[in-house]
């Protein structure tokens, strides 16, 4: 912002200005060549000038390629660049947001997700792939281990289902709903494995 000067026969003056509180500053007399403080350039030593004059890109790099690389990096998820603490804080905020939902909204979410899970079925190709994978495993010990793990998962699904049915767990999270939806697939896989033994 340029300072307004007034020149008359007695010399050069900075014009009177009004303060924010409504009072007026008196005009000040200045010499020729006066530069106001806010217009004086900031001193920079030779090292600062050198680094400011350096190009931002490596020698020979195309600026278009650099712009594409920067835009590609910005497209990546924000969570990947966050620290552990920031990620943890984001999870906490999401939990609070889920808990602050009204019970009616949560019930609607649960119903919508359960309908989606009912629609999801294991396709014939997935069944064939799992059957081929299990047939490729020749050892009975590995099959027994898989059966044990599947039974454990089914127990967890049943316990979760009991909690939801009894009302002990009013608003299950998305992970819990996913686990409930995998129950039938786990049972089918268990039957396949038991059939091989």
């Amino acid at each position: 912002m340029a300072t307004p000067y007034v020149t008359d026969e007695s010399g050069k003056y900075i014009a009177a200005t009004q303060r924010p509180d409504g009072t007026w500053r008196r005009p000040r007399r200045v010499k020729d060549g006066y530069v106001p403080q806010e217009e004086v350039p900031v001193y920079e030593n030779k090292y600062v000038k050198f680094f400011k004059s350096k190009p931002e890109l490596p020698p020979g790099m195309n600026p278009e390629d650099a712009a594409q690389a920067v835009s590609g990096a910005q497209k990546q998820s924000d969570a990947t660049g966050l620290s552990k603490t920031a990620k943890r804080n984001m999870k906490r905020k999401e939990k609070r947001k889920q808990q602050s939902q009204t019970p009616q909204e949560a019930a609607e979410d649960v119903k919508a997700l359960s309908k989606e899970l009912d629609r999801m079925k294991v396709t014939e190709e997935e069944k064939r792939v799992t059957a081929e994978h299990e047939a490729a495993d020749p050892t009975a010990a590995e099959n027994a281990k898989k059966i044990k793990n599947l039974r454990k998962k089914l127990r967890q699904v049943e316990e979760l289902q009991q909690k939801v049915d009894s009302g002990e767990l009013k608003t299950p999270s998305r992970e819990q709903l996913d686990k409930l939806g995998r129950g039938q697939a786990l049972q089918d896989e268990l039957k396949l494995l038991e059939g091989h033994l």
Side-chain angles (χ1 to χ4, degrees):
M1 181 173 132
T3 306
Y5 292 108
V6 177
T7 307
D8 61 5
E9 63 276 345
S10 63
K12 193 174 186 182
Y13 289 90
I14 296 177
T17 56
Q18 191 171 14
R19 296 183 182 101
D21 65 355
T23 59
W24 286 89
R25 294 182 188 90
R26 293 189 330 186
R28 291 188 313 164
R29 186 174 188 193
V30 293
K31 295 181 181 179
D32 285 335
Y34 170 78
V35 179
Q37 182 69 33
E38 60 269 4
E39 294 178 13
V40 174
V42 177
Y43 172 75
E44 293 178 343
N45 62 27
K46 62 183 178 180
Y47 297 107
V48 171
K49 288 180 184 177
F50 171 73
F51 283 109
K52 282 189 176 179
S53 69
K54 280 180 64 175
E56 294 181 17
L57 301 175
M61 184 170 190
N62 187 355
E64 294 171 0
D65 294 340
Q68 288 176 353
V70 169
S71 65
Q74 289 174 349
K75 288 180 183 178
Q76 288 181 350
S77 165
D78 293 337
T80 58
L82 298 176
S83 65
K84 288 182 182 179
T85 307
K87 289 178 184 177
R88 198 176 320 132
N89 288 339
M90 282 179 57
K91 287 181 184 178
R92 286 181 186 158
K93 286 180 184 177
E94 288 175 11
K95 276 189 178 180
R96 284 191 205 117
K97 190 176 180 181
Q98 286 178 355
Q99 290 174 352
S100 66
Q101 283 184 337
T102 62
Q104 188 177 17
E105 291 174 350
E108 290 173 3
D109 288 345
V110 170
K111 288 178 184 177
L113 286 173
S114 62
K115 286 180 182 178
E116 287 180 33
L117 291 174
D118 288 341
R119 283 189 226 129
M120 293 172 57
K121 296 288 182 181
V122 179
T123 63
E124 294 300 321
E125 183 177 322
E126 290 173 336
K127 288 181 182 178
R128 183 181 52 76
V129 168
T130 55
E132 289 174 0
H133 178 64
E134 292 163 359
D137 271 340
T139 60
E142 289 180 10
N143 284 343
K145 193 173 185 181
K146 286 182 183 180
I147 289 173
K148 182 179 176 184
N149 286 336
L150 286 172
R151 285 183 180 155
K152 179 181 175 184
K153 289 178 184 178
L154 279 172
R155 271 197 312 274
Q156 291 173 347
V157 169
E158 290 170 1
E159 290 171 3
L160 188 60
Q161 186 64 45
Q162 288 174 356
K163 286 182 181 180
V164 170
D165 292 342
S166 68
E168 182 179 340
L169 184 63
K170 293 180 182 176
T171 57
S173 69
R174 184 174 293 278
E175 291 86 9
Q176 291 170 331
L177 290 171
D178 290 343
K179 187 182 260 190
L180 286 173
R182 287 193 303 263
Q184 186 61 40
L186 291 173
Q187 288 176 350
D188 294 341
E189 192 174 343
L190 182 64
K191 288 177 185 175
L192 279 173
L193 280 175
E194 288 175 342
H196 286 287
L197 287 181

